[in-house]
């Protein structure tokens, strides 16, 4: 329906609301961590009361989320001494989780997510070029080395996320840093799919080094462009994968 009386600028105001319940949000957060390998196989989760405190929800909400994770085979609960909830992580299961998440998003939502990602990454890179010290540049180069040497999807994804976060830290903007951390948590699971082959990994490493080189030259425009291009590449790959799911 057209928003006749409000103008096109009101479209974001009248966009659909988030429909997930609090228990579903907790479930999604833990699911993402398992899929990314942040919670490895056999890792014991904190107790229900501890999780409730961490997420700022009730123990009932946590219990509902854990019950759903058990039904999906993502955790196993053991009773008695030494019991608790333990992660059951398998690469095939993680791939299925990520594809299901990608399938939930429309092409318009993916483009919007890419636009947001690009805006944060590009601005952080531009400011980093203006404010970085030689030590900052050296640290960023080390993160690129870690990304290049990372083996496996989970390790590559974590190294790439760390690079984005380090650039935001170098920008010396608390708000940008927080936005980047939050964004990595949101897109991390999806980008897990974009690190599946060695060629895409090679391009990602090179784009990382392009950003660092521009920061070292104090060329803010080039740093921003390089950061936006690496995000655009990841977004394009995700859109291609999303279209492939419709075939």
């Amino acid at each position: 329906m057209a928003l006749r009386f409000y103008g096109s600028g009101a479209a974001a105001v009248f966009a659909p609301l988030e429909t997930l319940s609090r228990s579903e949000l907790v479930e999604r957060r833990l699911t993402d961590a398992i899929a990314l390998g942040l919670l490895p196989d056999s890792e014991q989760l904190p107790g229900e009361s501890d999780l409730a405190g961490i997420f700022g929800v009730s123990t009932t909400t946590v219990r509902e989320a854990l019950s759903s994770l058990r039904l999906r085979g993502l955790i196993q609960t053991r009773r008695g001494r030494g019991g608790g909830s333990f992660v059951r992580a398998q690469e095939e299961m993680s791939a299925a989780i990520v594809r299901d998440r990608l399938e939930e998003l429309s092409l318009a939502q993916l483009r919007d997510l890419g636009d947001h990602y690009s805006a944060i990454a590009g601005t952080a890179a531009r400011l980093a070029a203006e404010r970085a010290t030689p030590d900052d540049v050296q640290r960023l180069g080390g993160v690129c080395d870690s990304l290049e040497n990372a083996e496996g999807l989970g390790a590559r994804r974590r190294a790439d996320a760390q690079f984005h976060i380090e650039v935001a830290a170098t920008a010396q903007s608390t708000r940008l840093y927080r936005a980047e951390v939050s964004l990595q948590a949101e897109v991390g699971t999806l980008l897990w799919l974009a690190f599946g082959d060695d060629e895409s990994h090679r391009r990602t490493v090179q784009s990382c080094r392009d950003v660092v080189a521009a920061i070292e030259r104090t060329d803010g425009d080039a740093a921003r462009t390089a950061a936006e291009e690496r995000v655009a590449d990841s977004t394009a790959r995700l859109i291609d994968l999303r279209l492939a799911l419709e075939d």
Side-chain angles (χ1 to χ4, degrees):
M1 181 180 70
L3 300 174
R4 295 187 200 172
F5 306 108
Y6 303 102
S8 59
V13 176
F14 294 99
L17 297 174
E18 175 63 72
T19 59
L20 296 179
S21 67
R22 291 177 74 79
S23 65
E24 288 172 327
L25 289 171
V26 171
E27 178 189 349
R28 172 165 288 188
R29 184 77 64 82
L30 292 173
T31 296
D32 289 352
I34 293 171
L36 286 170
L38 301 176
L39 292 174
D41 188 49
S42 300
E43 179 81 4
Q44 183 174 6
L45 297 178
E48 291 181 356
S49 59
D50 291 330
L51 284 173
I54 291 169
F55 290 121
V57 298
S58 69
T59 53
T60 299
T61 296
V62 168
R63 200 168 294 127
E64 290 174 357
L66 294 179
S67 177
S68 181
L69 290 172
R70 274 193 297 274
L71 288 173
R72 296 170 60 193
L74 294 177
I75 65 171
Q76 179 182 38
T77 299
R78 304 171 192 166
R79 305 296 179 186
R81 183 168 183 169
S85 295
F86 296 83
V87 173
R88 296 180 61 193
Q90 301 174 11
E91 186 169 328
E92 296 81 3
M93 187 181 295
S94 294
I97 290 169
V98 179
R99 284 183 172 80
D100 287 345
R101 178 66 50 78
L102 183 60
E103 200 165 19
E104 292 173 2
L105 296 172
S106 67
L107 295 180
Q109 288 173 316
L110 279 175
R111 282 193 295 269
D112 188 50
L113 188 58
D115 289 343
H116 181 202
Y117 191 13
S118 179
I120 297 298
T123 301
R126 179 180 63 79
L127 291 176
E130 297 173 2
R131 300 169 180 175
T133 66
D135 286 343
D136 290 329
V137 173
Q138 184 176 5
R139 186 181 70 256
L140 290 172
V143 178
C144 288
D145 292 340
S146 297
L147 174 59
E148 184 171 16
N149 296 325
E151 297 182 3
L153 299 179
R156 289 175 176 180
R157 169 59 200 141
R158 287 190 294 274
D160 184 71
Q162 186 62 36
F163 175 74
H164 279 279
I165 291 170
E166 290 290 350
V167 171
T170 304
Q172 301 177 28
S173 167
T174 301
R175 287 181 180 273
L176 268 179
Y177 177 81
R178 290 175 179 171
E180 185 65 67
V181 170
S182 176
L183 188 57
Q184 289 301 323
E186 181 179 2
V187 305
T189 308
L190 294 174
L191 289 176
W192 187 90
L193 287 173
F195 289 77
D197 61 87
D198 290 339
E199 175 57 25
S200 64
H201 178 59
R202 187 197 64 76
R203 293 203 310 271
T204 299
V205 172
Q206 184 56 54
S207 66
C208 169
R209 297 200 184 281
D210 290 343
V211 173
V212 176
I215 290 174
E216 186 173 22
R217 298 194 309 270
T218 68
D219 189 338
D221 289 339
R224 180 187 62 201
T225 298
E228 290 176 347
E229 286 178 350
R230 74 192 307 267
V231 170
D233 183 54
S234 295
T235 303
R237 278 182 273 164
L238 285 177
I239 289 175
D240 286 344
L241 288 167
R242 179 63 182 84
L243 288 171
L245 292 176
E246 297 178 356
D247 294 341

